[in-house]
Amino acid sequence: MTTLLDLKSSVLRQVQRSQSLRSRREPPPPPAPSSPLAQCPNPLPRRISEESMEFFERMNTILQKQENMLRAAQAECQRGACTVPPPQEHVDQAFIPDRISRTELDLIYEEAVYTVVNRVGVPSTEHVKSDEELFAYLLKVFDMGVEEHDIILQKVQESKRASFSLRVSVLKAKNLLAKDANGYSDPYCMLGILVGQSPRDPEEKKERKFSFRKRKDKLEKRSSTKEVLPAKCIHVTEVKPETLNPVWDEHFVFEIDDVHNDLLHLDIWDHDDDVSVAEACKKLNEVSGLRGMGRYFKQIAKSVRANGSASSGSEENADDFLGCINIPLNEIPIVGYDTWFKLEPRSSASKVQGECHLILKLFTSQRDTTSSKKDSNVSVHKKLLSQIIEYEHAHVKREPYNWNGQVSPPAWTVLTHHAVQTDLSPLQQAIIRWQCYSSHHRTQRVCYSLLLRLLRTIDAEWDPPTVRGDLERQLSDSFRLYTEHCLCLMKNMRQIFPCTSAAAITRYELMLRGIGYMQNMRAFKTVCPLRNELHLDITTAVKKGTAEWYESLIARYKPEEGTLEEQLKKLVVVVDAVCADTQRAQNIYNNLFYSAVKVDFFSSSYRQLEKLVADDVNVAMERVCGTLEQESSRLTQTMGETIFELFMSLKILKGFREFLPLKDAKMLALTGFHNWFKSSIHKFLQIVHDRSCDRICKAVETDKIEPAQKAKHSSSAMEVTTCFSQVREIWLQLAWPDSAGAFIFVTRLTDNFCSEAVCYSEMLTRKIERNQLGRDHKSFTVQLCIALNNTEHVRVFLGHLPRDLDWAGLERAMEESCGLEGKEQVYKALNGQLFNMDLDLQREAKRLITLLTDKMLPELRRYIQHISLSPDSINNDDAVSPLMKYLQDTMVILNETLVKENLARVLQSMWELLLRMILDAVTENRGVQVEFYNRFQYTVETLLQFFHAKGDGLFLEDMKSGDYKVLDEELRLNKCSSFELIEQYYLEKISLQKTLKHTRFGRISVKCYYDAPEQRLTVEILHAADIIALDANGLSDPFVIVELCPHHLFPMAKSQRTQVKLKTLHPVFDEFFYFHVSPEQYRHRFACLTFTVMDYDWLSTNDFAGEAVAPLSDFCWPGRPNASPAGKSVQPFILHLSRSKPSEKPIMRMLDARVGDREAQEFVRRLKEIEKSMEEE
């Protein structure tokens, strides 16, 4: 209830002001000097009108700010490929790794040269074969002089050659021959190194086939020294029973004497006894005197059988040969073999089939370099790779920031050989590459897709048991440093990864994907077990970066300095920058963060910025409100514009809350920010009103009152509605959330609209009135029509205010907050304003129409007079044609210039004017020939059809009302005879009698019944009541005169009267009267009994007390109860008395005008006597 009372008091001024508009329907008083529009009769200064136009242009720019921001954001989202490099990624010095000293570089260079000199394996097409080319490349990488190179090369050549080993992984075989009766085999592998057996040329390789049981003659030559061969030189796999597709997955290492000439030999056998050949091979320490490898393998088999069962010596239990493989070591690629090898027979007679999957890799078991002796292979390879990466990246010419890590063939050759020679596993190589590239990235940025690819490689190769000690610690450090580096970049993302750079956004997306991938890696969870909440670190970095960015924004614009207006303008710039940043966060950054690291970037950033902005703006607006509350202070236009722009910027910023999760959108610092602007917006709306008034005055001043474009209104009407539209848009953009405040503002706006519209119409009318002198009829008519259209155009526009300003929504809001009373208050206040405005505009429209019809009046009067004075010999069409010709010419102009609504109004006004003129002509010519009235009757019918225009004009129902009925009745009655007029008089009296109830003149009780056979009417006057007092004593001496009327219908009937009842107002008569009434007489509707109550005076004429009439049809017609033999027993009926003046009736005036008609004059005389007695009273 308190809220509603506050509303009533705050709105009272607006409501009173709107109601005062209605008084303008009366002659307008001089305009108040406080109204801007009231000061507009004189031309506006040019400066004021220009300021008004500039004001609305600035308002339009402010209103389009959000749309422009959205358009700019969409343009950023649709950015294409960009060749402009992204901004530099400045990082903390703590993330920059230490550079390698010159001494260490020399040692690494020695390692690289040693690698080149000791190359083994078959190079691929990607590798460089020339030593000179590799050395030339290394000279550039290490910035080494030729002399220094020669010294190091000589040192390497004099050092001990690298010792090589071969790692063999026997994985599985498939499609072997079935040697057992059950259709399977029990396969096992026996493998070893055949020394010096590698073929020297391709032809020799093609012809030679090796087996552990062949080429005895050549093997005997090598065994003549009776050397001792250790059992470890031959390895045997486990036996896999009953399978043709065995899976062994066993790994062996062989020391190689001659990597260029030795050969790997592998046999696959079907095991046929219970003795383990592999176990026998292990127990047999040495075999001497053997003649070659074939004998050696055979000896192992015999030894196994000798230690087995008694029957094991039988040849039937000998193992069956399933195939062999011979691989020269000098044919193994640099990176080794990982492939299926087809099994070969021992001889052309052997039948074998199937394949065996082997992994072969050569590596150095001993290296004679300084680095390899003091550092681990991993550390040495890492330093070599770091140096090569730095050199390779420095020589990338195009988009070095987008380098994918690809190195040149010499670099790839050196790195591959070194990794192979130092026996680095794929996981170790992946970790080293990650460490080197991620470390290098901290100083010289590379493509984030490269780092993501390296992380995926680590994840694919991850084997936790193989990563221990220093390698685990180094990997953990690299993850930590890279994470902190990325968090630092995230903190400064607005500068490093701006949305305006497509390349920067692409890099940022890849970086976030990398971080998101890293936190889910098995390796990361293993080596960094305490960093399991990386998304919290990311959120913290985002918040810190957002706060620092806002502080830099404040430091840049310094909104706390300067005048109050300057401070607000700077705050507008700050808020707009925050809105733009929030838009980018919502459109671009949030999608990147959520898809990559599942962090809600938008919520974190927006809530923080919204709070910072709210705090700063609240403080500034408190200063503004404090200043405006001072009596000497007023809100300037520029200050008002700035406050409005600040409000709109805050509204845009607040609007982003819809993208927050529901739980986060409830309590925001900007939730009630509109309350900070309440008093300021009130004053700002006054500025809008003043500028609107200036603009309207200028529009009227410059209006030539000519049709604008294809419309029927002029430029000022378009300007006024455009102005109203802009003001309406200002309100809609304000979107005031508080229903009570919105009600006050809408009331204020509605009042402004209404007063401006009414004043515009008045100014337009005054301009028309001033310009009418000297203008011809047609041009003036056109201008009046355009002015009418202008008023109608504005009126129709304002008729949409309930929809445009959402009055229904305001009513609902007020009903929710204040109940039904609040809703009614809104309805009454706003609709009252609109109703009064509509009345005022209609008044002005009528004023213009009056000007228009007044211009027509002389011509119309002349044509009506022509009809009136036309002799009877002239045809009606000829008499009316001048008038119709004039109306048709006028109608052409009206049709072309007036809109439909105004055309109807003008036609209605013309129709009413013509009716009045014809009525005046008829009234002035009463008592003339009937042909006179017939001609005007014809004129009226012709005009009726003309204005109706076959349904395209006025409605017949509207035309046949008011003056038309009066004129039609006047014409009809004037054409009647005197007897017909008298009959009409009594018909009206009968009709009036039926409507009388409880008059102050009293009543009379009578009983009438008709004896049809006798044609006798009996009238029994019983009594009267409440007769008016006509004597000095407060009483009367009443008597009743009863007679049949009209007299010409009952020429033989005489009037009869009752006895006088002295000194009473309630006389009782109980007297009977008899009249002869024939059926031909009572069948007329106007046949009646009249009861005239008179007050008897002894010394003067009797006074008229009242009269009543009763139609004979009520009791004479057959079938009526009064007309039957039982009529005497019917109930009496009451007639109420009346005392109307006969002269007020048109019929009396018509009869009185018929001077030569005796019946008319006699009838009038009798009625005048009654009226005279009434006047004497």
Side-chain angles (χ1 to χ4, degrees):
M1 182 60 69
T2 302
T3 305
L4 188 58
L5 291 175
D6 294 340
L7 277 176
K8 286 183 177 179
S9 61
S10 61
V11 178
L12 184 58
R13 289 186 298 274
Q14 279 84 1
V15 176
Q16 290 174 342
R17 182 181 176 188
S18 65
Q19 290 172 346
S20 68
L21 292 176
R22 191 168 184 176
S23 64
R24 292 183 181 152
R25 290 178 295 161
E26 306 300 329
S34 61
S35 172
L37 281 173
Q39 304 172 2
C40 292
N42 298 322
L44 274 176
R46 181 179 180 84
R47 181 183 58 80
I48 295 178
S49 61
E50 290 179 352
E51 285 181 359
S52 299
M53 295 305 299
E54 292 172 357
F55 169 80
F56 282 99
E57 289 175 1
R58 286 192 293 272
M59 290 298 99
N60 191 47
T61 302
I62 294 172
L63 295 178
Q64 292 178 349
K65 180 185 293 185
Q66 185 172 11
E67 182 180 348
N68 294 335
M69 186 180 299
L70 291 174
R71 192 181 298 115
Q74 290 175 356
E76 287 182 351
C77 293
Q78 297 171 357
R79 61 193 183 281
C82 182
T83 57
V84 179
Q88 289 294 328
E89 299 177 7
H90 300 290
V91 295
D92 196 328
Q93 291 294 323
F95 296 134
I96 300 177
D98 298 332
R99 295 185 63 85
I100 303 177
S101 64
R102 184 70 246 182
T103 303
E104 285 187 289
L105 281 177
D106 292 344
L107 296 179
I108 299 301
Y109 185 77
E110 176 193 0
E111 182 74 20
V113 171
Y114 190 87
T115 300
V116 173
V117 171
N118 290 277
R119 285 182 299 154
V120 295
V122 178
S124 66
T125 56
E126 301 172 352
H127 295 108
V128 176
K129 301 177 182 179
S130 168
D131 289 357
E132 290 73 15
E133 187 177 346
L134 293 176
F135 288 145
Y137 172 76
L138 290 175
L139 284 173
K140 298 175 185 177
V141 172
F142 289 88
D143 193 20
M144 190 69 65
V146 177
E147 295 181 359
E148 295 171 322
H149 166 74
D150 293 341
I151 295 173
I152 293 175
L153 178 60
Q154 183 179 357
K155 178 183 177 182
V156 169
Q157 290 173 343
E158 292 174 356
S159 64
K160 185 178 179 182
R161 299 283 296 180
S163 300
F164 285 90
S165 297
L166 176 66
R167 179 178 289 105
V168 181
S169 297
V170 182
L171 301 182
K172 51 190 171 182
K174 62 182 179 180
N175 301 329
L176 300 180
L177 278 175
K179 293 292 186 178
D180 297 339
N182 60 5
Y184 293 99
S185 295
D186 304 319
Y188 67 92
C189 297
M190 184 180 294
L191 63 160
I193 300 298
L194 297 181
V195 180
Q197 297 300 314
S198 180
R200 299 296 188 272
D201 55 65
E203 289 299 326
E204 182 181 358
K205 174 184 177 182
K206 183 177 180 181
E207 293 177 358
R208 298 175 60 184
K209 292 185 180 295
F210 294 98
S211 172
F212 289 129
R213 298 185 179 182
K214 294 182 66 177
R215 297 188 51 78
K216 298 179 183 179
D217 53 342
K218 293 189 177 182
L219 290 174
E220 286 175 355
K221 295 180 181 180
R222 292 195 59 183
S223 63
S224 60
T225 58
K226 299 184 185 295
E227 69 268 23
V228 177
L229 297 177
K232 65 181 180 179
C233 292
I234 294 179
H235 295 283
V236 182
T237 66
E238 294 290 335
V239 177
K240 297 299 179 182
E242 297 183 357
T243 180
L244 299 180
N245 300 291
V247 177
W248 292 289
D249 197 17
E250 298 185 35
H251 311 279
F252 310 98
V253 176
F254 298 94
E255 294 181 359
I256 305 302
D257 294 334
D258 187 354
V259 73
H260 300 290
N261 297 312
D262 289 352
L263 177 143
L264 172 66
H265 179 77
L266 179 143
D267 281 345
I268 298 181
W269 298 83
D270 172 40
H271 186 54
D272 284 335
D273 55 28
D274 297 331
V275 181
S276 172
V277 178
E279 191 65 26
C281 180
K282 294 175 184 177
K283 290 182 179 180
L284 189 63
N285 292 325
E286 63 179 27
V287 179
S288 60
L290 298 178
R291 296 176 63 84
M293 279 296 228
R295 294 286 182 178
Y296 175 59
F297 275 95
K298 190 174 182 180
Q299 181 64 31
I300 291 175
K302 288 181 178 180
S303 174
V304 170
R305 293 188 180 92
N307 295 324
S309 60
S311 62
S312 62
S314 173
E315 289 297 328
E316 294 178 0
N317 294 331
D319 291 350
D320 295 319
F321 181 73
L322 296 178
C324 66
I325 299 173
N326 295 290
I327 304 174
L329 300 189
N330 60 7
E331 294 181 2
I332 298 177
I334 297 174
V335 296
Y337 272 132
D338 183 358
T339 187
W340 288 87
F341 292 91
K342 187 176 181 181
L343 297 178
E344 302 174 355
R346 287 182 300 185
S347 63
S348 58
S350 300
K351 181 181 179 182
V352 298
Q353 70 178 37
E355 296 175 289
C356 184
H357 187 188
L358 302 178
I359 297 178
L360 310 178
K361 183 180 179 183
L362 285 168
F363 62 92
T364 57
S365 55
Q366 185 175 357
R367 298 172 66 82
D368 190 12
T369 62
T370 304
S371 295
S372 61
K373 292 176 181 177
K374 75 171 188 176
D375 290 334
S376 65
N377 291 337
V378 170
S379 178
V380 173
H381 190 75
K382 179 179 176 182
K383 293 176 182 178
L384 176 61
L385 177 58
S386 296
Q387 188 64 24
I388 290 177
I389 288 174
E390 186 174 346
Y391 173 80
E392 290 284 334
H393 197 187
H395 288 76
V396 175
K397 301 299 182 184
R398 184 178 178 183
E399 298 184 358
Y401 60 87
N402 222 17
W403 184 44
N404 62 0
Q406 185 175 359
V407 296
S408 61
W412 180 245
T413 303
V414 172
L415 291 172
T416 303
H417 277 287
H418 188 267
V420 169
Q421 291 179 19
T422 54
D423 195 23
L424 296 178
S425 66
L427 176 59
Q428 289 175 319
Q429 294 182 52
I431 292 174
I432 293 171
R433 284 197 296 273
W434 159 254
Q435 290 175 333
C436 293
Y437 278 103
S438 63
S439 176
H440 175 75
H441 171 70
R442 296 200 295 273
T443 55
Q444 298 293 326
R445 53 186 176 169
V446 298
C447 182
Y448 283 99
S449 61
L450 164 65
L451 302 175
L452 179 58
R453 187 169 65 249
L454 295 175
L455 289 173
R456 287 173 174 163
T457 305
I458 293 176
D459 208 29
E461 299 288 345
W462 183 246
D463 185 15
T466 62
V467 182
R468 290 288 184 267
D470 290 343
L471 186 60
E472 181 181 10
R473 178 183 54 77
Q474 292 172 6
L475 181 59
S476 175
D477 290 343
S478 70
F479 282 155
R480 177 182 57 82
L481 288 172
Y482 181 71
T483 300
E484 292 175 356
H485 170 73
C486 291
L487 291 175
C488 181
L489 295 181
M490 289 180 200
K491 190 178 69 171
N492 301 306
M493 50 168 276
R494 293 172 176 84
Q495 296 80 28
I496 299 174
F497 304 108
C499 293
T500 53
S501 171
I505 292 299
T506 301
R507 288 180 58 79
Y508 198 30
E509 181 179 9
L510 291 171
M511 186 195 83
L512 291 172
R513 285 186 184 179
I515 287 292
Y517 186 84
M518 178 191 292
Q519 66 178 345
N520 294 318
M521 287 174 58
R522 293 173 295 166
F524 183 82
K525 294 177 180 178
T526 302
V527 302
C528 300
L530 301 179
R531 297 297 292 266
N532 56 355
E533 293 184 347
L534 189 58
H535 65 282
L536 296 180
D537 297 334
I538 294 174
T539 303
T540 302
V542 166
K543 290 183 177 179
K544 187 175 181 182
T546 300
E548 291 179 358
W549 176 79
Y550 184 79
E551 290 172 3
S552 68
L553 205 62
I554 295 297
R556 177 182 176 185
Y557 294 108
K558 298 181 176 60
E560 71 282 354
E561 298 180 1
T563 63
L564 189 56
E565 184 175 333
E566 291 172 347
Q567 293 178 20
L568 292 181
K569 288 183 177 179
K570 293 176 182 178
L571 268 180
V572 169
V573 177
V574 170
V575 177
D576 288 346
V578 171
C579 289
D581 182 78
T582 305
Q583 186 75 59
R584 297 188 192 103
Q586 194 267 326
N587 284 352
I588 299 175
Y589 290 127
N590 194 59
N591 295 334
L592 301 182
F593 271 84
Y594 194 79
S595 62
V597 293
K598 296 297 182 291
V599 169
D600 189 351
F601 174 85
F602 173 78
S603 295
S604 301
S605 173
Y606 175 69
R607 289 181 64 85
Q608 193 171 9
L609 288 174
E610 184 260 359
K611 177 66 168 61
L612 293 169
V613 167
D615 292 343
D616 288 344
V617 174
N618 190 12
V619 172
M621 289 309 299
E622 286 180 354
R623 292 198 296 269
V624 171
C625 293
T627 303
L628 293 179
E629 288 175 359
Q630 300 175 8
E631 294 183 1
S632 60
S633 178
R634 60 180 296 271
L635 186 65
T636 64
Q637 178 174 317
T638 54
M639 185 73 159
E641 293 174 6
T642 305
I643 289 175
F644 175 70
E645 185 172 6
L646 180 59
F647 182 93
M648 293 306 301
S649 297
L650 289 175
K651 175 176 169 287
I652 294 172
L653 181 59
K654 180 186 175 183
F656 286 103
R657 68 189 298 172
E658 66 180 86
F659 301 106
L660 288 174
L662 186 59
K663 60 182 179 62
D664 294 338
K666 294 181 179 178
M667 296 302 295
L668 291 176
L670 287 176
T671 298
F673 83 91
H674 61 280
N675 291 316
W676 311 337
F677 293 82
K678 186 173 293 185
S679 60
S680 303
I681 294 298
H682 270 290
K683 296 179 181 295
F684 171 72
L685 289 181
Q686 182 60 42
I687 294 175
V688 174
H689 175 56
D690 294 342
R691 296 288 74 80
S692 299
C693 293
D694 294 343
R695 185 173 176 181
I696 293 171
C697 288
K698 183 64 177 178
V700 174
E701 177 188 333
T702 58
D703 192 1
K704 297 180 180 179
I705 315 183
E706 298 174 351
Q709 300 173 358
K710 296 182 179 180
K712 292 187 177 182
H713 49 264
S714 64
S715 60
S716 63
M718 297 178 64
E719 185 68 15
V720 169
T721 54
T722 301
C723 176
F724 287 171
S725 297
Q726 290 180 327
V727 176
R728 176 194 63 193
E729 190 62 26
I730 289 173
W731 168 250
L732 294 178
Q733 291 292 335
L734 279 174
W736 200 264
D738 173 29
S739 59
F743 174 40
I744 296 172
F745 285 135
V746 170
T747 305
R748 172 78 174 273
L749 284 172
T750 305
D751 179 66
N752 290 346
F753 282 142
C754 294
S755 63
E756 290 160 8
V758 172
C759 290
Y760 164 71
S761 179
E762 291 175 347
M763 285 190 297
L764 199 61
T765 304
R766 288 197 296 270
K767 182 171 183 177
I768 293 290
E769 290 173 342
R770 290 195 303 268
N771 294 344
Q772 67 177 317
L773 298 177
R775 285 189 173 272
D776 62 277
H777 174 72
K778 181 176 180 181
S779 63
F780 183 67
T781 300
V782 170
Q783 281 203 343
L784 278 173
C785 292
I786 293 174
L788 268 174
N789 293 340
N790 290 350
T791 302
E792 178 64 15
H793 184 68
V794 173
R795 192 189 71 83
V796 170
F797 179 89
L798 293 183
H800 297 151
L801 280 183
R803 179 198 66 194
D804 295 342
L805 300 183
D806 191 21
W807 289 6
L810 190 58
E811 288 179 15
R812 289 193 297 270
M814 287 296 293
E815 184 178 11
E816 293 175 1
S817 59
C818 304
L820 287 175
E821 190 176 355
K823 179 181 179 181
E824 292 175 1
Q825 180 74 9
V826 173
Y827 181 84
K828 290 179 180 178
L830 298 180
N831 284 279
Q833 290 176 321
L834 203 59
F835 177 76
N836 292 331
M837 178 276 300
D838 193 73
L839 289 179
D840 288 330
L841 289 185
Q842 289 187 35
R843 168 181 55 79
E844 288 302 315
K846 289 180 180 178
R847 187 174 168 188
L848 289 170
I849 293 173
T850 301
L851 284 175
L852 181 61
T853 54
D854 285 349
K855 280 291 182 181
M856 301 179 186
L857 197 57
E859 292 294 320
L860 293 176
R861 185 177 290 116
R862 185 163 61 87
Y863 293 126
I864 294 298
Q865 189 176 11
H866 171 76
I867 298 172
S868 177
L869 299 177
S870 296
D872 297 342
S873 59
I874 295 180
N875 186 283
N876 287 339
D877 286 335
D878 296 335
V880 176
S881 61
L883 173 63
M884 301 311 298
K885 176 67 169 58
Y886 174 79
L887 291 177
Q888 288 171 357
D889 294 342
T890 305
M891 186 61 65
V892 172
I893 301 174
L894 298 180
N895 265 323
E896 290 177 353
T897 55
L898 285 175
V899 296
K900 184 177 180 181
E901 294 79 5
N902 282 334
L903 180 60
R905 293 191 184 102
V906 172
L907 293 181
Q908 184 68 33
S909 181
M910 292 173 61
W911 167 249
E912 292 173 357
L913 175 62
L914 286 168
L915 288 179
R916 288 195 299 272
M917 294 177 70
I918 295 173
L919 183 59
D920 291 342
V922 171
T923 304
E924 292 172 359
N925 293 276
R926 286 195 178 112
V928 298
Q929 296 296 325
V930 175
E931 287 75 10
F932 176 86
Y933 305 111
N934 286 333
R935 179 163 292 169
F936 274 110
Q937 184 72 47
Y938 178 82
T939 302
V940 171
E941 293 300 323
T942 304
L943 291 174
L944 188 72
Q945 297 303 319
F946 175 80
F947 283 105
H948 180 58
K950 297 181 179 179
D952 295 331
L954 300 178
F955 294 111
L956 289 176
E957 296 80 5
D958 296 334
M959 297 172 67
K960 292 182 178 181
S961 60
D963 288 343
Y964 174 84
K965 290 183 177 180
V966 175
L967 176 59
D968 185 63
E969 183 70 7
E970 182 81 14
L971 291 172
R972 186 182 67 81
L973 294 177
N974 273 297
K975 291 189 295 181
C976 294
S977 65
S978 297
F979 286 160
E980 289 173 337
L981 289 177
I982 294 172
E983 293 166 0
Q984 182 65 33
Y985 174 83
Y986 283 109
L987 280 175
E988 292 178 2
K989 293 278 287 183
I990 292 170
S991 177
L992 177 64
Q993 185 68 51
K994 293 179 179 179
T995 63
L996 292 179
K997 291 182 180 180
H998 307 293
T999 66
R1000 65 185 182 89
F1001 305 111
R1003 57 194 177 276
I1004 185 171
S1005 177
V1006 298
K1007 184 188 296 186
C1008 299
Y1009 42 90
Y1010 181 67
D1011 186 354
E1014 297 292 333
Q1015 296 185 357
R1016 184 179 65 184
L1017 175 64
T1018 303
V1019 178
E1020 184 179 353
I1021 300 177
L1022 301 177
H1023 57 82
D1026 297 329
I1027 303 299
I1028 60 172
L1030 294 174
D1031 294 340
N1033 58 6
L1035 299 172
S1036 291
D1037 303 322
F1039 67 94
V1040 180
I1041 301 173
V1042 56
E1043 55 185 340
L1044 291 172
C1045 293
H1047 292 162
H1048 64 268
L1049 181 61
F1050 302 97
M1052 305 304 294
K1054 303 297 181 180
S1055 63
Q1056 303 181 56
R1057 53 187 292 178
T1058 65
Q1059 295 180 358
V1060 177
K1061 302 297 180 180
L1062 300 176
K1063 298 178 182 180
T1064 180
L1065 299 179
H1066 308 283
V1068 176
F1069 300 105
D1070 286 333
E1071 298 184 37
F1072 292 86
F1073 303 94
Y1074 303 96
F1075 297 93
H1076 181 272
V1077 179
S1078 67
E1080 291 77 12
Q1081 291 175 319
Y1082 70 67
R1083 286 195 179 99
H1084 293 285
R1085 292 188 302 115
F1086 50 82
C1088 62
L1089 276 171
T1090 63
F1091 300 91
T1092 305
V1093 181
M1094 303 294 289
D1095 173 48
Y1096 177 75
D1097 285 333
W1098 297 97
L1099 301 176
S1100 63
T1101 59
N1102 298 327
D1103 298 324
F1104 177 68
E1107 65 178 348
V1109 296
L1112 296 184
S1113 59
D1114 286 353
F1115 33 78
C1116 292
W1117 280 27
R1120 301 284 187 181
N1122 308 64
S1124 64
K1128 296 181 180 181
S1129 62
V1130 297
Q1131 293 295 322
F1133 55 90
I1134 303 298
L1135 294 175
H1136 294 278
L1137 302 177
S1138 65
R1139 296 184 79 216
S1140 60
K1141 289 186 177 182
S1143 61
E1144 295 177 351
K1145 297 183 178 298
I1147 293 176
M1148 275 290 294
R1149 292 194 292 270
M1150 294 178 191
L1151 291 172
D1152 192 24
R1154 299 182 178 184
V1155 179
D1157 191 330
R1158 187 177 62 83
E1159 290 83 0
Q1161 292 302 310
E1162 179 64 20
F1163 182 79
V1164 171
R1165 183 189 62 77
R1166 293 178 63 245
L1167 293 180
K1168 282 184 176 181
E1169 289 179 356
I1170 294 176
E1171 186 171 349
K1172 182 178 179 182
S1173 69
M1174 293 172 61
E1175 291 173 354
E1176 290 176 353
E1177 294 172 13

